[in-house]
């Protein structure tokens, strides 16, 4: 029974307490509901910080593990199993940080059905944290699918004009990939006699040809979630229609569930297949980087531009992970966090201007720096971070990724990293283009002349992200230290496997 | 990593990080308090921050004098992944301290000048609130530049490298609502940044190659390994150096990445002087000098560097001849002079390059700042004239030399210093430019005849376009009312000019033939730094050419002064060649046609047709969704109604018939049910009894 | 005083028969209810009797359960009757025949 209040359970299920409280609040008490949700997510964040304090940096294995028998019959051995290691820790922290920030951003933006919104939002947080902490395939799958439901409603109820289309497309697309993963999970669990992820990794011994099929089945789910080119078609719809807070979470956390899946499942469970398929994954990643960058340059809608930039940025993450060396993988994991911070901030920024002008058309703006200097400076910093300016967070991740990919033996050719690096030039083009369209040039539209600069609440919303953008850029050491042993463990697995392959 | 030994003067090395932090402190103070403190205070804080950086640089210089081997000062760990270990760490040696002294020294003067210049500029442009922002950027630039020159590893250098690029972007677009169509300045900034990023791509790939070849990004470790590896790693080192050259070409505006620098003149004049003439653009030369070990091991790359430098020097010099914008002439002159330096490092004449880098910083900063003084004078004159008229006249370009003329008598100090700067640039002895340029030419005469003739031709054009400029701006009669009413600039601006003019005159003593002060100083860092012996033939030849060019300029522009509204006299002489030079040999148009427009078209095509119409609309909405709908429709109409419903309905009918009969049992009277229960119980009990 | 077991069982059987007759014959729902109670209590009596004669405790335990269930049943049943009376103004069991097939 003491296990019930273990730190991992608290981090995962505390949002549920918030949900319960909100359920009993009358729907008219909107402010109380908002504060309850914010408080619940902040307490969750506090607990995740406690989890960080308890975390042993030098231990490569799962920590704070908690296992309870759950479903056990006819050869099925499914456990309620939670644990955290260097691969997931940062993502859990990212989730618990972005949730209160997103809730704060809805203060004025969500006026209708606040109660339901907050309930769904907290449920979403629970699902996402669960995904990152679950150490049993079955439990993981439950959380994985669970996140779809609140997100479906968040887009479908509070979204833009084409919200139903976007919500259904998001749901079906993700579901389609998950089915294949479910099959692979069932096959693995029955064949290996366990659903426990660490046990499956330790057991290994799946014949390489079979591994490829399993790899592809898992990859189908993850590649859609990332989304990797060419499976990205749901992303612009979902992003453009989703309300700001949902976009932040979608870009900041939900997409990371895909890349996290690669590093948690595909690479350590199917190392031989990963080594064999690495060039193909790298190819898709590089196409995604260049394609996403080019397409986002041609957008007229700010949100579309940022959405496509995610395709480009996540391409970097996948490229890094499949470099299969410490630089690439650590860079990839850090870049997941970086993308969560900078793209999350970009969506918040877009949301702020949308609240003021009710348009996202780039041609409607120009010269905003004059009327909104604070907003302009914040956007500039975030933009620079997103395009990988050295000294800010994006660069550290991108550099490590490209360095890793350049020297990766499994990718095989330096051309991939070379072309990917060219993506950084393209990133400068579309990001500066966006900045120019919004803030530079003459202030010639009458509607823009009376715009108010950021208020205290909005600055508070963005401030934690800005601090982290500088922190990771200037002193990323603690972040790398958190993940280094766990990544080394994965790399060791891969090295053993590469001897089998060659 | 060598730690700092204890000792009195060596302890001075520990202060080195302040050279970065002081400007940062200055910008933080100005950012927080600037608006409240007022212009005077902002300018003072910013200048003081840079001046104290200069003091730190002098301290480093003193420490180095007694301990010329230098030191590495670790500030903090940065990135550690696997074998990759990069720190925030400063490398204090003669090369970096030479750059520190030059950059902070020139920056201090330009900061003081800018305090006066921007006071006028923000009022002329109509937004006095932006005064603080300018100095925030300016201090940020100095900090970034210091990161660049003090870095002891590639990655940290890259931070400074892109950091100065960012400041350049921000300062070019400082008046972001001005320029062509109101967006011209912003576009110029973006162009500079993106072009620089192409170079940065080269730098990055070079870093990747270095790391995977030598296992480190630390300069000392890489150079040691490279020495040991020697010819065995020849191919890789050649590749590394070629990619580094791409990086240098981006930052130092060499062919074919030179296109951004002329447009960068959209920034306020102190920016052009500091960033786009004296300091940032020389980063490429500094970087190659820093990597001299690698370049020495790669003769092919070194030759390529020399050729690129020589070609750029001549190419840009020809363009400078036919420009009318006073700052554009200087911009192309800068590109050309950077070509000299790049050519020098390519030929292994690192000291000559550094020498020219320093003297060029003096006289080019001087020329830009003086041109700023001229521009502001003409602006003032224009305001004066407009004020009298009460109605707004036609748009007036205060930078167009065709609107100037005769300023000699109006702006005497400016005129004097301008002539000094121009003669130094033209390479007339005994001014600074003569000594440094001549050292490069002397080296070239021995090392590479092709490059030598390219540079000599460039030197000839240099003297010619400077003569043309001086004659057009200061001599003859004023060609506009504005020029007629131009006043001299205030002392806060002219004082730095005079100081820089002095430096331009005596800068040559840094490395006079026979003394070789700079050579001896840099020898500690650049081991093979040899100085070509002073060659009287080369020196006499180049000086003679320069004088000839000046005379030629006088024949064309001075003898008969240019008249208002008349075309350039050179136009008649050179015909279409002049048009080509005036249009910068259409390189911008070429790039626009070959790269920019195809990329925009490709991006639009991908976004509109491939991604949206084909992939989003057609494949997903039509193929996937409609196929599913068709299938579902068929299932529901044909299959479901006939087959499944048939089975379902059959079962239903059967149940219905049975139920119709059974329902009569249901009377609805509770007591009937009770009775049947009772009877049932009796029966069950009876069954048990009978059994 | 020691009453013979069969006396008590006979009383129990009599009470049960009365209850059955009451349920089958009477039309007033409340009376039917009382008759059901009578049947339950006759069963209780039988339980107690056997418990006593066999010296076992289970029979008495069962009685408690039955009493508890009966109480619950009365509560639900009376509530139903009140609800029916409210809507139909009658508690005649024969008039409540809506479920006729």
């Amino acid at each position: 029974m003491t296990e019930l209040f273990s730190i991992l359970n608290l981090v995962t299920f505390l949002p549920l307490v918030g949900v319960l409280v909100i359920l009993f609040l009358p729907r008219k008490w909107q402010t109380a509901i908002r504060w309850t949700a914010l408080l619940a997510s902040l307490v969750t964040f506090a607990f995740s910080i406690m989890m960080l304090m308890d975390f042993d940096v030098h231990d490569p294995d799962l920590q704070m593990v908690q296992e309870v028998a759950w479903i056990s019959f006819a050869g099925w051995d499914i456990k309620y199993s939670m644990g955290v290691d260097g691969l997931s820790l940062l993502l859990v922290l990212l989730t618990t940080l972005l949730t209160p920030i997103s809730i704060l951003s809805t203060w004025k933006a969500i006026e209708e059905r606040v109660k339901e919104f907050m309930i769904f939002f907290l449920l979403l947080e629970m699902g996402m944290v669960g995904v990152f902490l679950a150490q049993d395939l079955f439990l993981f799958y439950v959380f994985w699918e669970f996140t779809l439901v609140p997100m479906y409603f968040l887009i479908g109820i509070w979204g833009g004009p084409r919200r139903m289309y976007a919500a259904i497309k998001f749901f079906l697309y993700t579901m389609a990939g998950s089915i294949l993963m479910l099959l692979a999970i069932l096959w693995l669990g029955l064949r290996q006699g366990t659903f426990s992820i660490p046990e499956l990794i330790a057991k290994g011994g799946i014949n390489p040809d079979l591994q490829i099929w399993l790899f592809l089945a898992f990859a189908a789910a993850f590649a859609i979630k990332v989304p990797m080119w060419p499976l990205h078609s749901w992303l612009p719809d979902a992003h453009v229609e989703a309300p700001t807070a949902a976009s932040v979470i979608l870009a900041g956390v939900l997409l990371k569930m895909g890349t996290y899946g690669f590093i948690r499942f595909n690479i350590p469970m199917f190392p031989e297949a990963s080594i064999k398929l690495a060039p193909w994954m790298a190819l898709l990643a590089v196409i995604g980087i260049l394609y996403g960058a080019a397409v986002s340059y041609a957008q007229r809608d700010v949100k579309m531009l940022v959405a496509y930039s995610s395709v480009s940025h996540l391409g970097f993450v996948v490229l890094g992970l499949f470099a299969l060396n410490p630089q690439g993988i650590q860079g990839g994991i850090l870049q997941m966090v970086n993308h969560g911070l900078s793209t999350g901030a970009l969506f918040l920024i877009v949301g702020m201007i949308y609240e003021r002008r009710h348009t996202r058309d780039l041609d409607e703006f120009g010269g905003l720096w004059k009327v909104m200097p604070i907003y302009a400076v914040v956007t500039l910093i975030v933009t620079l971070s997103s395009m990988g300016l050295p000294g800010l967070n994006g660069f550290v991740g991108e550099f490590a990724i490209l360095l890793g990919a350049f020297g990766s033996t499994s990718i095989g050719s330096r051309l991939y990293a070379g072309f990917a690096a060219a993506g950084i030039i393209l990133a400068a083009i579309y990001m500066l283009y966006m900045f120019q369209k919004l803030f530079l040039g003459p202030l010639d539209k009458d509607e823009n002349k009376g715009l108010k600069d950021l208020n205290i609440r909005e600055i508070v919303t963005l401030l934690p992200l800005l601090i982290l953008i500088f922190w990771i850029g200037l002193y990323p050491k603690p972040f790398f230290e958190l993940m280094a042993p766990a990544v080394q463990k994965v790399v060791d697995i891969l090295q053993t496997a590469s001897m089998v392959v060659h | 990593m060598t730690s700092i030994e204890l000792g009195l003067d060596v302890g001075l090395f520990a202060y080195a990080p302040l050279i970065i932090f002081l400007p940062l402190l200055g910008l933080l103070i100005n950012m927080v308090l600037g608006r409240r403190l007022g212009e005077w205070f902002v300018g003072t804080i910013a200048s003081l921050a840079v001046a104290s950086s200069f003091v730190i640089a002098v301290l480093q210089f003193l420490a180095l004098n007694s301990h010329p081997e230098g030191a590495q000062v670790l500030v903090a760990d940065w990135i550690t992944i696997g074998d990759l270990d990069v720190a925030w760490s400063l490398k204090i040696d003669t090369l970096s301290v030479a750059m520190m002294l030059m950059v902070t020294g020139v920056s201090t003067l330009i900061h003081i000048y800018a305090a006066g210049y921007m006071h006028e500029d923000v009022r002329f442009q109509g937004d006095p609130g932006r005064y603080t922002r300018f100095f925030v950027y300016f201090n940020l630039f100095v900090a970034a530049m210091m990161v660049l020159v003090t870095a002891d590893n590639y990655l940290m250098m890259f931070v400074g490298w892109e950091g100065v690029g960012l400041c350049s972007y921000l300062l070019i677009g400082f008046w972001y609502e001005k320029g062509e169509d109101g967006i011209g300045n912003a576009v110029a900034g973006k162009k500079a940044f993106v072009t620089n990023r192409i170079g940065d791509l080269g730098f990055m790939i070079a870093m990747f190659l270095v790391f995977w070849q030598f296992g480190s990004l630390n300069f000392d470790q890489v150079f040691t390994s490279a020495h040991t590896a020697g010819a065995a790693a020849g191919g890789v080192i050649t590749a590394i150096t070629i990619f580094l050259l791409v990086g240098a070409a981006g930052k130092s505006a060499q062919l074919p990445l030179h296109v951004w620098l002329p447009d960068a003149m959209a920034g306020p004049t102190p920016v052009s002087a500091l960033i786009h003439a004296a300091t940032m653009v020389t980063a490429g030369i500094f970087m190659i000098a820093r990597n001299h070990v690698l370049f020495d091991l790669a003769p092919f790359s070194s030759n390529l560097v020399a050729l690129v430098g020589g070609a750029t020097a001549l190419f840009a010099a020809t363009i400078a001849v036919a420009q009318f914008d006073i700052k554009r002439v200087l911009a192309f002159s800068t590109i050309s002079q950077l070509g000299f330096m790049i050519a020098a490092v390519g030929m292994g004449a690192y000291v000559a390059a550094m020498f020219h880098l320093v003297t060029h910083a003096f006289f080019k900063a001087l020329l830009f700042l003086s041109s700023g003084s001229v521009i502001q004078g003409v602006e003032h004159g224009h305001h004066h004239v407009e004020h009298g008229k009460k109605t707004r006249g036609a748009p007036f370009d205060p930078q167009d030399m065709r609107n100037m003329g005769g300023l000699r008598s109006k702006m005497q100090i400016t005129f004097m210093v301008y002539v000094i700067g121009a003669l130094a640039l033209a390479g007339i002895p005994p001014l600074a430019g003569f000594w440094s340029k001549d050292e490069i030419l002397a080296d070239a005469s021995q090392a590479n005849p092709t490059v030598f003739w390219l540079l000599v031709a460039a030197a000839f054009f240099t003297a010619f376009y400077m003569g043309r400029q001086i004659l057009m701006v200061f001599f003859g009669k004023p060609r506009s009312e504005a020029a007629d009413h131009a006043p001299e600039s205030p002392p806060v601006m002219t004082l730095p000019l005079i100081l820089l003019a002095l430096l331009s005159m005596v800068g040559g003593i840094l490395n006079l033939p026979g003394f070789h002060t700079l050579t001896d100083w840099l020898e500690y860092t650049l081991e093979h730094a040899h100085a070509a012996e002073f060659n009287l033939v080369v020196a006499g030849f180049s000086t003679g050419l320069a004088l000839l060019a000046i005379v030629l300029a006088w024949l064309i522009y001075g003898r008969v002064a240019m008249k208002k509204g008349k075309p350039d006299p050179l136009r008649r002489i050179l015909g279409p060649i002049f048009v080509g030079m005036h249009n910068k040999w259409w390189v911008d148009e070429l790039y626009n046609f070959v790269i920019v427009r195809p990329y925009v078209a490709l991006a639009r095509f991908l976004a509109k047709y491939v991604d949206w119409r084909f992939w989003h609309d057609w494949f997903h909405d039509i193929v996937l969704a409609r196929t599913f709908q068709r299938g579902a429709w068929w299932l529901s109409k044909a299959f479901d109604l006939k087959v499944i419903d048939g089975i379902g309905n059959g079962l239903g009918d059967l149940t219905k018939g049975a139920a119709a009969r059974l329902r009569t049992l249901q009377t609805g009277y509770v007591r009937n049910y009770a009775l049947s229960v009772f009877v049932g119980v009796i029966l069950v009990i009876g069954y048990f009894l009978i059994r | 005083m020691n009453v013979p077991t069969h006396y008590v069982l006979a009383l129990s059987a009599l009470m049960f028969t009365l209850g059955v007759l009451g349920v089958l014959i009477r039309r007033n729902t409340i009376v039917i209810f009382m008759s059901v109670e009578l049947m339950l209590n006759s069963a209780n009596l039988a339980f107690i009797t056997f418990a006593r004669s066999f010296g076992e405790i289970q029979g008495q335990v069962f009685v408690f359960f039955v009493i508890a269930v009966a109480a619950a049943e009365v509560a639900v049943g009376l509530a139903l009757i009140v609800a029916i009376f409210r809507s139909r103004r009658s508690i005649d069991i024969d008039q409540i025949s809506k479920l006729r097939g």
Side-chain angles (χ1 to χ4, degrees), chain A residues 162 165 169 173 230-233 236-237 291 293-295 297-300 304 308 325-327 330-331 367 369-370 373 380 384 387-391 395-396 399-400 402-404 406-408 414 418 421-422 424-429 432-433 435-436 439-443 473-477 480, chain B residues 35 76-84 86 88 126-127 130 133 137 155 158-160 162-163 166 169-170 173 176-178 181-183 186-187 189-190 193-194 197-199 201 204-205 207-209 211-213 217 236 599-600 602-608 610-612 615-617 620-621 624:
Chain A
R162 275 160 40 96
Y165 170 82
K169 190 166 177 182
Y173 222 110
L231 302 171
H232 61 275
S233 179
D237 287 316
Y291 180 90
V295 171
Y297 173 65
Q299 300 302 322
R300 287 283 159 276
M304 287 282 258
Y308 277 107
N325 52 19
Q327 286 84 12
Q330 291 200 27
W369 200 326
K370 259 203 171 134
L380 180 66
L384 293 171
M387 63 194 230
L389 187 89
F395 173 71
V396 178
F399 178 77
L402 291 171
L403 186 74
F406 197 79
S408 166
R414 293 176 163 183
I424 293 185
I425 301 176
L426 303 187
I429 295 176
L432 292 182
Y433 170 75
F435 189 77
Q436 174 190 318
F439 296 103
L440 307 182
L443 182 68
L474 296 172
Y475 195 63
K477 196 177 154 143
F480 281 128
Chain B
R35 293 210 166 230
D77 285 330
W78 186 17
I79 303 178
T80 314
I81 317 173
D83 329 323
L84 175 69
V86 186
W88 292 108
D127 186 2
R130 243 179 268 185
R133 195 185 298 165
Y137 291 163
L155 200 60
F158 191 67
V159 172
E162 285 231 327
L166 167 70
Y169 165 76
L170 292 171
Y176 51 75
E177 71 278 43
K178 303 279 164 66
D181 297 332
I183 196 80
V187 170
K190 193 173 69 176
F193 197 90
V194 171
R197 271 237 155 162
I198 297 173
L201 173 67
M204 277 186 91
I205 291 178
M207 274 197 282
F208 300 151
L209 283 166
F211 179 75
W212 291 106
Q213 180 68 27
L217 285 175
V236 179
Y599 178 69
V600 174
L602 175 74
R604 298 233 166 101
F605 174 75
L606 282 179
K608 190 170 178 189
V610 176
D611 197 78
W612 207 253
W615 193 238
H616 181 274
D617 286 351
H620 284 89
D621 287 1
L624 286 186

